[in-house]
Amino acid sequence: GESVGLHLPTLSVQEGDNSIINCAYSNSASDYFIWYKQESGKGPQFIIDIRSNMDKRQGQRVTVLLNKTVKHLSLQIAATQPGDSAVYFCADLDSGGSNYKLTFGKGTLLTVNP
Amino acid sequence: GAGVSQSPSNKVTEKGKDVELRCDPISGHTALYWYRQSLGQGLEFLIYFQGNSAPDKSGLPSDRFSAERTGGSVSTLTIQRTQQEDSAVYLCASSSDWGGSLNEQFFGPGTRLTVL
């Protein structure tokens, strides 16, 4: 079946370094992608999204890159801080099929060492 | 309230018992979602409510699972005759107007269900 998955289940970085979290998706019809951050004991929180007509989108300290050719998505966090420690999920959606049914990956645990 | 709230935050039950999980969405949000998150896994879609439309129940794993949304606001997810594999965190989310747009889903903190 189709799924959204992550290359790395865990990532440990030093405070101040840049972090890159990767995600592979399999549904070629997916045209909308979201990154969520989930801190321990909390629900996922929206970070940034990107549509398939874009290759890159920047937010505050975060950048999402989309490579449709290889169906790969990445989240870059600049100057990683201890507060960035969390599980990060990518999710994809085929808006032509459903405009609400997101498919989530398993998540990457990011640990920021002070 | 300011965000999506869920109750209880934790629920421990015995195998075979029924449980009810409650979700209070953000006021004014017409769409409401239930997800299940098993340990170390991503979110699994369960059910979707939008206004007065018939809910999308395609993600419910068995007929032991049901959900309702009363008055277009509060929702209850019911699991009958719970099994150990039902143990997970159950997350609720809500979003504003549907209308073909892709609106941000705001998540509650979840209910951690443990079936002994």
Side-chain angles (χ1 to χ4, degrees):
Chain A
E2 296 177 332
S3 63
V4 178
L6 294 167
H7 292 304
L8 297 174
T10 62
L11 178 64
S12 182
V13 300
Q14 290 298 121
E15 182 178 359
D17 287 352
N18 297 332
S19 301
I20 300 176
I21 301 172
N22 297 303
C23 176
Y25 64 95
S26 59
N27 185 355
S28 57
S30 291
D31 55 359
Y32 181 61
F33 306 85
I34 308 174
W35 280 100
Y36 284 92
K37 172 186 180 183
Q38 186 175 26
E39 297 175 274
S40 179
K42 298 183 179 179
Q45 179 183 9
F46 174 93
I47 301 174
I48 192 168
D49 60 357
I50 188 168
R51 296 179 184 269
S52 59
N53 61 351
M54 302 172 67
D55 297 323
K56 179 179 179 179
R57 190 169 187 212
Q58 289 184 297
Q60 186 176 12
R61 285 202 304 117
V62 294
T63 301
V64 56
L65 298 177
L66 175 63
N67 186 329
K68 296 179 288 295
T69 302
V70 295
K71 289 184 281 189
H72 183 269
L73 191 70
S74 68
L75 176 70
Q76 300 178 359
I77 304 173
T80 315
Q81 303 170 359
D84 295 327
S85 294
V87 176
Y88 289 81
F89 294 95
C90 62
D92 79 309
L93 183 145
D94 169 12
S95 61
S98 159
N99 70 343
Y100 57 83
K101 196 174 290 186
L102 295 168
T103 300
F104 287 82
K106 293 184 179 180
T108 291
L109 173 62
L110 174 65
T111 302
V112 181
N113 302 310
Chain B
V4 178
S5 61
Q6 293 185 244
S7 60
S9 55
N10 283 282
K11 176 71 177 179
V12 179
T13 191
E14 294 179 346
K15 177 181 174 181
K17 300 282 189 179
D18 298 351
V19 295
E20 285 190 352
L21 312 180
R22 177 187 169 103
C23 172
D24 284 88
I26 293 173
S27 178
H29 278 189
T30 57
L32 187 146
Y33 316 74
W34 281 99
Y35 295 90
R36 178 168 68 176
Q37 184 175 30
S38 300
L39 187 63
Q41 300 294 313
L43 279 66
E44 173 190 4
F45 169 83
L46 296 178
I47 189 169
Y48 165 76
F49 295 91
Q50 169 57 39
N52 296 321
S53 301
D56 177 354
K57 304 179 181 181
S58 61
L60 295 178
S62 77
D63 59 9
R64 296 186 295 104
F65 287 72
S66 63
E68 62 178 21
R69 189 179 185 191
T70 54
S73 180
V74 172
S75 177
T76 302
L77 176 68
T78 301
I79 308 174
Q80 296 178 310
R81 305 180 301 282
T82 52
Q83 303 295 313
Q84 289 183 332
E85 59 263 30
D86 298 335
S87 296
V89 175
Y90 290 82
L91 290 159
C92 175
S94 70
S95 66
S96 58
D97 294 338
W98 179 35
S101 62
L102 303 171
N103 288 293
E104 179 180 346
Q105 296 181 27
F106 294 83
F107 285 83
T111 293
R112 181 175 296 279
L113 175 66
T114 303
V115 182
L116 302 177

